Amino acid sequence: MLENFLREYNNNRILLLTTGLWPYQNKLVRSLLWTFCFLLELSYYPFEILLLYDHSDDAQLIFEGCYQILILTIFLVRHLKDCLNRGKMRWIYEAIDRHWSIFTDDIEVRIMEEYSILSRKLVTYYTIIICGTLLVIIILPLTPIFLDIIVPLNESRPRLFAVEIEFRVNKTDYYFPIYCYISAVIIVGSIITLGTDTMHIICASHACSLFAAVSKQIENVTLKVNDDNGDIKENKHGINKNVDLCVSQEEMIYQKYIICLKKHQLAIEFVDMLNSSYKECSLAILIILLGVLTLSGLRIIYVLNQFRILIKFLLVLITTLFALIVVCYSGQRIMDESQKIFYEAYTAEWYRFSPRLKSLLRIILYRSSVPCKLRAGNIIPLSIATYATVIRMSMSYYTTLLSIQD
């Protein structure tokens, strides 16, 4: 099962297996893993609420607690999305596997392999960013312990944590249990984010490869017609004169267009299912990322003289920006590749076609005139324009909160 899918994207399956999000694993194991991860993340909320309640007079801690709650919410939203849409995700994985058996032309296979390689590179870069940020955030709190060993003082240095949290206990006495709990929450949340986001990158890239393959086939049909010198004659003035296509050539073009139409329909169905499984989640993620960008940017202003905390927030900010571009750029690429089919079909010498062939070309033009889109909640199209809008809004909220704080 899923032989083609696993050949190209097996690493992503492993990430989903660890958090119970792979729909084909043993049901009991999947349920136990998913429940453990979900309850572990959910258990963090009460301690953050305690932080906000006990330090309601400290604006900086309030901002930090709010951004931590937002990040935790992103973890849970992603985790719930794949669980609630398990049937749709199963359909998507099987469709990807099936497409590798349908798009078998040499050109189509080459295009799909190119996009597969590109998606794996993007996944690698995203994994490096997430894992690098995770490593720094987890190791930084251990700096005082290492310094106590290397350069001991008369007294132990204050113990630090990766995030601000309130347990209403002596944190020094329970340092290692608290540290392990916080690290487990961050690691599980990062694996959830990594698994769901990288799978979204792969699905969006695969959709682009389908549109690109259809577009290339239409382009090849057009070039074949244009390169056929038997259909171009010159009149007595030396000007080229178009002649109607011969019956055999028209039949060949007709069959090619029929195949392109069927494959285009497969690509549209795939994007529709991908959008259906992602639209609610993407809207929530856009709103939450907007809040994280605003609050983390505001927090950076107050820790410019604290190198350790500054590094942590800069890494959080960079990772958030990268997560936002993953959501928006994938939608932009799908729009561009799906609309390219329209431009390729438009360049065909339709005036040489018979009525039957013209009607078929009109269907292709009609279907591709409106680009396929991924939408956030069926409201906001995911695109580079949306990315820029979210950045501008976060800067506006940031300056507003900064002025209020001052």
Side-chain angles (χ1 to χ4, degrees):
M1 179 181 284
L2 301 182
E3 179 181 350
N4 297 317
F5 181 91
L6 296 180
R7 183 187 66 246
E8 301 291 332
Y9 314 117
N10 188 52
N11 290 338
N12 300 81
R13 178 186 69 92
I14 295 172
L15 285 172
L16 295 178
L17 279 171
T18 58
T19 52
L21 294 177
W22 181 249
Y24 299 97
Q25 68 189 117
N26 181 273
K27 185 175 181 180
L28 177 60
V29 175
R30 184 182 68 214
S31 300
L32 290 175
L33 284 173
W34 189 91
T35 304
F36 169 77
C37 294
F38 183 77
L39 292 179
L40 178 65
E41 298 297 316
L42 195 63
S43 67
Y44 195 76
Y45 274 110
F47 306 119
E48 284 299 326
I49 294 172
L50 278 178
L51 176 70
L52 298 178
Y53 180 78
D54 291 349
H55 301 277
S56 57
D57 56 342
D58 190 331
Q60 295 186 30
L61 281 180
I62 291 293
F63 284 130
E64 186 156 347
C66 288
Y67 109 84
Q68 289 170 181
I69 288 176
L70 288 176
I71 291 179
L72 179 63
T73 304
I74 289 180
F75 295 160
L76 291 174
V77 166
R78 286 187 168 104
H79 206 197
L80 283 170
K81 186 268 292 185
D82 271 26
C83 177
L84 297 177
N85 293 298
R86 184 176 292 121
K88 293 179 181 179
M89 298 310 297
R90 182 192 292 265
W91 187 95
I92 288 172
Y93 301 151
E94 292 174 356
I96 292 175
D97 184 76
R98 190 166 57 252
H99 291 158
W100 281 93
S101 301
I102 296 174
F103 290 70
T104 54
D105 185 86
D106 290 342
I107 295 175
E108 295 171 345
V109 171
R110 176 176 57 81
I111 291 174
M112 292 177 69
E113 287 178 348
E114 288 175 356
Y115 274 89
S116 176
I117 293 171
L118 176 61
S119 66
R120 287 200 294 268
K121 287 182 179 179
L122 292 175
V123 166
T124 301
Y125 298 148
Y126 192 52
T127 302
I128 290 173
I129 291 175
I130 293 289
C131 291
T133 302
L134 177 65
L135 193 63
V136 172
I137 289 177
I138 289 178
I139 290 179
L140 272 179
L142 298 177
T143 304
I145 297 177
F146 295 144
L147 290 177
D148 284 342
I149 297 173
I150 300 171
V151 187
L153 299 177
N154 293 331
E155 57 183 15
S156 298
R157 293 175 173 83
R159 294 295 182 252
L160 305 173
F161 295 99
V163 296
E164 294 292 339
I165 193 169
E166 182 57 61
F167 285 93
R168 289 186 176 177
V169 296
N170 190 320
K171 294 181 181 179
T172 303
D173 295 340
Y174 297 94
Y175 177 76
F176 282 106
I178 295 175
Y179 172 82
C180 291
Y181 170 73
I182 293 175
S183 298
V185 170
I186 295 174
I187 291 171
V188 169
S190 299
I191 293 174
I192 292 171
T193 299
L194 195 57
T196 54
D197 279 5
T198 54
M199 191 56 74
H200 178 68
I201 291 173
I202 284 171
C203 293
S205 180
H206 179 76
C208 291
S209 72
L210 300 182
F211 288 119
V214 175
S215 175
K216 189 64 177 178
Q217 292 288 25
I218 293 176
E219 179 188 1
N220 288 344
V221 173
T222 303
L223 290 175
K224 185 175 180 60
V225 173
N226 293 339
D227 290 342
D228 192 344
N229 295 325
D231 293 327
I232 304 295
K233 296 182 179 179
E234 291 186 356
N235 61 17
K236 62 182 180 180
H237 301 292
I239 300 175
N240 288 340
K241 180 183 178 182
N242 291 310
V243 179
D244 290 341
L245 298 173
C246 65
V247 175
S248 61
Q249 190 179 32
E250 182 182 311
E251 184 63 27
M252 179 273 296
I253 296 173
Y254 187 83
Q255 294 301 325
K256 287 283 187 182
Y257 278 158
I258 287 290
I259 294 172
C260 289
L261 266 175
K262 291 179 178 179
K263 292 182 177 179
H264 187 209
Q265 184 61 32
L266 291 176
I268 293 173
E269 290 175 356
F270 182 80
V271 173
D272 288 343
M273 182 60 74
L274 182 61
N275 181 59
S276 174
S277 67
Y278 197 66
K279 57 186 178 183
E280 291 86 3
C281 171
S282 58
L283 179 60
I285 288 176
L286 282 182
I287 295 172
I288 296 171
L289 289 179
L290 173 62
V292 173
L293 286 173
T294 303
L295 294 176
S296 59
L298 189 66
R299 192 74 175 97
I300 286 174
I301 293 296
Y302 295 99
V303 296
L304 292 176
N305 58 342
Q306 304 175 46
F307 180 75
R308 183 190 66 83
I309 301 179
L310 178 63
I311 289 296
K312 182 184 76 172
F313 278 100
L314 284 175
L315 288 173
V316 169
L317 189 63
I318 293 171
T319 305
T320 303
L321 288 171
F322 206 90
L324 182 60
I325 196 66
V326 164
V327 174
C328 296
Y329 183 66
S330 58
Q332 182 68 54
R333 284 301 302 272
I334 289 176
M335 290 173 58
D336 295 341
E337 292 294 344
S338 62
Q339 199 164 33
K340 190 177 177 182
I341 294 176
F342 176 84
Y343 298 133
E344 293 297 343
Y346 187 76
T347 60
E349 294 184 354
W350 56 268
Y351 44 83
R352 301 171 59 193
F353 293 173
S354 67
R356 183 181 72 149
L357 200 51
K358 286 179 182 177
S359 64
L360 191 60
L361 184 62
R362 280 198 295 268
I363 296 174
I364 297 177
L365 290 170
Y366 178 76
R367 284 188 175 182
S368 57
S369 59
V370 178
C372 293
K373 297 179 181 179
L374 297 182
R375 295 181 179 273
N378 271 344
I379 302 172
I380 306 169
L382 298 177
S383 63
I384 295 300
T386 302
Y387 177 82
T389 301
V390 172
I391 298 297
R392 285 198 301 268
M393 290 177 66
S394 66
M395 291 300 296
S396 299
Y397 295 147
Y398 163 78
T399 53
T400 301
L401 290 174
L402 188 62
S403 62
I404 294 173
Q405 182 69 10
D406 293 338

